[in-house]
Amino acid sequence: MLSGLLTMFGPADQGSVDFSTLGKPSRPNTALIAPEGYVTGRRLTAVAPVFPASPDALRSAFEAVALAEPRTEQVHRDPTGFHDRYLQRTTVGFPDTIDVKVIDLGDGTATVALFSRSQVGYRDFGVNKARLERWIAAVDLKISTGK
């Protein structure tokens, strides 16, 4: 019954976003963390930190953190850049799509643009924001400890 209901909303993976043209959301069930000024026309949930890591190391850290979360899978890994996408299902099976774009700042530092959105429902009660904050904290710990 639930799987039939979920297919009514379309594919679980909502596809990639273009951070440069990301407009204002029609529903408040999203969260966006990016460098200041990176996304125009859209209010940030929070400003992304700068990590003392290469883009490759930061990408690997985000991948490890994301895939350690329950009910999470990587649905796209950009072969030519640093823009990956994950799908995480809620405990009742509703899909959320998360874009992770690593941005090289040079000098051995990098930052990230993250966009998390729920496919089903109007509000998310802070789930998307909490997810992105949790992922950033875990990546920060992984980068700072080297584990």
Side-chain angles (χ1 to χ4, degrees):
M1 171 75 176
L2 181 60
S3 65
L5 178 65
L6 291 178
T7 58
M8 173 173 94
F9 295 104
D13 174 20
Q14 297 176 63
S16 186
V17 297
D18 181 348
F19 285 97
S20 67
T21 61
L22 191 60
K24 189 174 181 177
S26 60
R27 301 176 296 169
N29 62 353
T30 65
L32 172 64
I33 296 177
E36 193 71 53
Y38 190 73
V39 178
T40 58
R42 177 113 187 213
R43 187 169 167 255
L44 296 178
T45 305
V47 175
V50 173
F51 296 91
S54 70
D56 287 319
L58 187 57
R59 181 187 208 179
S60 293
F62 267 100
E63 184 175 324
V65 165
L67 295 177
E69 292 251 320
R71 301 171 306 280
T72 303
E73 63 181 300
Q74 187 175 51
V75 293
H76 178 75
R77 181 173 171 83
D78 186 352
T80 61
F82 292 98
H83 191 160
D84 302 325
R85 197 168 60 255
Y86 299 88
L87 181 76
Q88 183 172 40
R89 292 190 178 275
T90 66
T91 54
V92 295
F94 295 131
D96 294 344
T97 302
I98 306 98
D99 279 78
V100 177
K101 183 174 183 181
V102 172
I103 304 159
D104 186 3
L105 298 175
D107 297 326
T109 64
T111 189
V112 68
L114 304 167
F115 183 55
S116 182
R117 62 216 184 267
S118 301
Q119 181 184 30
V120 179
Y122 183 75
R123 297 200 186 282
D124 71 346
F125 304 101
V127 170
N128 287 295
K129 178 183 177 190
R131 173 187 299 116
L132 296 186
E133 289 173 343
R134 186 175 63 248
W135 286 18
I136 285 176
V139 165
D140 189 43
L141 181 64
K142 186 175 272 305
I143 296 288
S144 66
T145 62
K147 296 180 183 182

